Amino acid sequence: MTDDPLTAQWTSAQVEVMHRLRDWVVDFGELNQHLAAWMRLPGTDANALGQIIWAAEAGTPLSPAQLARQLGMTTGATTILLNRLEAAGHVHRSRENADRRRVTLRPTAAARDRARQFLGLAGTEIATVLRTTPPDELTAVATFLARMTAAADEANLRLGRES
């Protein structure tokens, strides 16, 4: 690394972007707390369910190991969490892959419907911003966020190797 992030001279625009990213993370966490209350789940369980629903909707359902990495939990703790979600009727595990050892996580229809109801209430302001932002601005933001995500992924891989 050529710059020490704590001592480098940052432009006001760079500092502003980092503040806005932090604010989004904080606000997204608060929205997740509201989702947890809506779904009558502990925060971690709601976060996990949200990740499972999001991945399934994108056509890239998660495995328990992938979910554990995303949540920053051990596989054992994730198994316990999945047992709770499955017992509550929110998630089911299946073996859809040719490799029958691989487990795929899918939300139940009821969990998906309940989450959609929440998004209908909670996502109004966010949907408005997305719908009213010019396409070229959305493209620039998506490109920037993809680069920031790739940088964070690289840092996480490096830190994982060092620990």
Side-chain angles (χ1 to χ4, degrees):
M1 176 181 283
T2 57
D3 283 329
D4 178 345
L6 297 177
T7 61
Q9 295 298 313
W10 299 104
T11 66
S12 60
Q14 291 166 329
V15 171
E16 182 71 14
V17 166
M18 290 305 295
H19 284 293
R20 298 300 67 86
L21 287 171
R22 180 208 56 219
D23 293 346
W24 168 252
V25 168
V26 169
D27 286 346
F28 188 81
E30 190 173 351
L31 285 170
N32 189 63
Q33 291 171 356
H34 288 291
L35 173 63
W38 176 264
M39 298 292 292
R40 295 179 185 90
L41 292 170
T44 302
D45 292 24
N47 184 18
L49 181 59
Q51 296 295 328
I52 292 165
I53 292 171
W54 193 267
E57 291 288 322
T60 55
L62 297 173
S63 70
Q66 289 169 315
L67 180 64
R69 279 191 298 278
Q70 287 182 359
L71 297 175
M73 295 173 66
T74 65
T75 54
T78 302
T79 297
I80 293 167
L81 181 151
L82 288 170
N83 290 344
R84 284 193 308 265
L85 288 175
E86 197 167 40
H90 296 303
V91 171
H92 62 89
R93 296 175 244 206
S94 60
R95 297 189 189 305
E96 304 168 9
N97 196 302
D99 178 354
R100 302 298 292 164
R101 295 171 296 177
R102 182 177 162 87
V103 173
T104 301
L105 303 173
R106 297 274 183 187
T108 63
R112 184 178 279 146
D113 290 346
R114 184 88 173 131
R116 279 193 178 131
Q117 289 171 358
F118 174 78
L119 288 175
L121 295 171
T124 303
E125 294 83 358
I126 293 169
T128 298
V129 170
L130 285 169
R131 285 193 181 105
T132 60
T133 300
D136 59 332
E137 190 176 333
L138 289 173
T139 299
V141 169
T143 300
F144 170 76
L145 290 174
R147 290 180 21 224
M148 289 296 282
T149 300
D153 288 345
E154 286 179 38
N156 282 321
L157 287 172
R158 178 178 45 77
L159 292 168
R161 287 190 303 269
E162 292 175 3
S163 57

